[in-house]
Amino acid sequence: MRERDLPFVHRAHNPENPDGTAVVLLHGTGGNETSLLPFGARLAPGAVLLSPRGRSADEGYPRFFRRLTAVTFDQKDIVQEAEAFAAFMEGANAAYGLNPDKTLFVGYSNGANMIGAVMLLHPGLICNAVLLRGMNVLETVPKADLSGTNVLMITGQSDPYGRYAGDLEAHLKAAGATVENTLLGAGHDIGAADLELAKAYKERIIG
């Protein structure tokens, strides 16, 4: 599959000294396919970076699925976009030569929520993930087998959405994923502490 045939607008970056790993970056509301590339480059200098742009919109800003209120979401849109994202990754793995076992998915806010939904709706597609300020967005959570899936959740202590993180953690653990949830003295924004935690996790899980 050629790059222009993939269903999401995206950026791909090949490192000067590739180490065989890849990082897929999913932005938050108001971001785009370039927003997390600097974070990814610092996180994993030797990794192929792949960063798609969400196809839904909220007041003109890209998102990975529509929200109805601050904490309720368009369930049909989530299912459809998760399916499209699964197809995107299958094509991207072939187009860019990515190894799913050596790929880390990193999502922030809406991007983290998308990764969480994709893991539960399409188990096996994502093996390793870092969810920055994530929460569960599925009203009906399907039964899934996430054995062998590794997840680091990083939650902000003063994040107004932080109280919803535990629900996602519980669903992932119930499905068999190995989940670590770290509480930071932070709000919804991400910073250097998130980067260091994500970098250490990546090195420990996939190298």
Side-chain angles (χ1 to χ4, degrees):
M1 184 176 285
R2 296 166 300 179
E3 180 178 339
R4 65 175 177 270
D5 296 328
L6 295 172
F8 282 76
V9 172
H10 63 282
R11 289 288 181 90
H13 168 73
N14 289 302
E16 287 184 13
N17 300 300
D19 61 12
T21 68
V23 176
V24 181
L25 301 152
L26 275 68
H27 63 79
T29 301
N32 59 33
E33 66 275 19
T34 67
S35 302
L36 288 179
L37 287 176
F39 186 96
R42 291 193 293 270
L43 166 66
V48 173
L49 302 181
L50 182 66
S51 185
R53 182 200 304 169
R55 307 193 307 176
S56 293
D58 183 21
E59 296 180 354
Y61 294 112
R63 284 175 56 87
F64 286 96
F65 52 81
R66 288 188 294 273
R67 64 180 168 189
L68 306 177
T69 70
V71 293
T72 59
F73 308 91
D74 185 329
Q75 298 298 300
K76 184 178 179 182
D77 197 38
I78 294 170
V79 171
Q80 290 177 340
E81 289 305 299
E83 188 173 346
F85 184 77
F88 168 74
M89 283 311 307
E90 288 169 7
N93 287 342
Y96 296 111
L98 309 185
N99 177 355
D101 292 330
K102 286 285 191 178
T103 299
L104 179 68
F105 288 75
V106 178
Y108 167 56
S109 190
N110 178 245
N113 301 344
M114 179 65 163
I115 293 173
V118 170
M119 283 193 289
L120 291 164
L121 292 168
H122 298 273
L125 183 77
I126 295 173
C127 302
N128 311 290
V130 173
L131 308 181
L132 307 169
R133 314 298 186 268
M135 61 181 282
N136 174 49
V137 294
L138 294 173
E139 293 173 7
T140 302
V141 177
K143 287 187 177 180
D145 181 3
L146 294 179
S147 315
T149 301
N150 304 298
V151 182
L152 172 64
M153 297 181 64
I154 305 179
T155 304
Q157 197 166 14
S158 57
D159 181 0
Y161 300 101
R163 60 195 173 110
Y164 299 104
D167 187 43
L168 176 58
E169 179 183 2
H171 284 303
L172 294 173
K173 284 183 173 178
T178 300
V179 184
E180 301 173 27
N181 194 349
T182 300
L183 192 64
L184 283 184
H188 195 66
D189 290 340
I190 56 174
D194 294 278
L195 177 62
E196 291 309 310
L197 286 168
K199 188 172 185 177
Y201 188 75
K202 186 255 179 192
E203 290 171 356
R204 177 158 53 92
I205 297 297
I206 64 172

